[in-house]
Amino acid sequence: MITIPKKGSPERARLIAEHRACIDSMKGVPGCTILRCATPGDTTHVSGGIHEDLLLNRVLLRMRAAMPRSGRRKLVVICTEPDKSWRIGRLSGVRGVPPEFVNDTIYDNEQDPQHDIFLMRLDELDETDGMPEHFHEGWKRRDDNWTVT
């Protein structure tokens, strides 16, 4: 199984650089996909990113699949003013309770906070987070704790 690169390693720096390049090439495209556009903002021809970088693909899959732990609730992009400003928030884990902003940074596009969330999640994950032994079929037993923080 592929481990998450350690802080300060060249592999981690390359992973972050590839993610940033994908995010920059997608500026102007609604949503967030980790692929590179041939022409920035034009998704007619895409390459790279999760299609060609196995490590980036696996790290993102493990980030998405990891169970939330105490104090590590899900990070989300919140549009605070339609098409003008976005911020990063952390979900409460309780339905009906609004998210809390994680900092005072206001972004002028929806892609930049996605990269910052990637960096935050990368720092939160252990090298072995998301290994097969961490998964369980809790959703079948109604034991997935989706409302518990």
Side-chain angles (χ1 to χ4, degrees), residues 18 21-22 25-27 29 32-52:
E18 178 65 17
C22 292
S25 80
M26 284 287 178
K27 284 189 179 170
V29 178
C32 183
T33 302
I34 308 305
L35 295 170
R36 287 189 188 213
C37 298
T39 306
D42 179 8
T43 57
T44 307
H45 300 286
V46 293
S47 64
I50 59 172
H51 286 181
E52 296 175 10

Side-chain angles (χ1 to χ4, degrees), residues 4 18 24 30-31 43 49 61 64 84 101-102 134 136 139 148:
I4 295 172
E18 178 65 17
D24 287 343
T43 57
L61 284 174
R64 292 174 184 145
K84 291 186 181 173
F101 294 122
V102 297
H134 298 138
H136 64 84
W139 59 274
V148 179

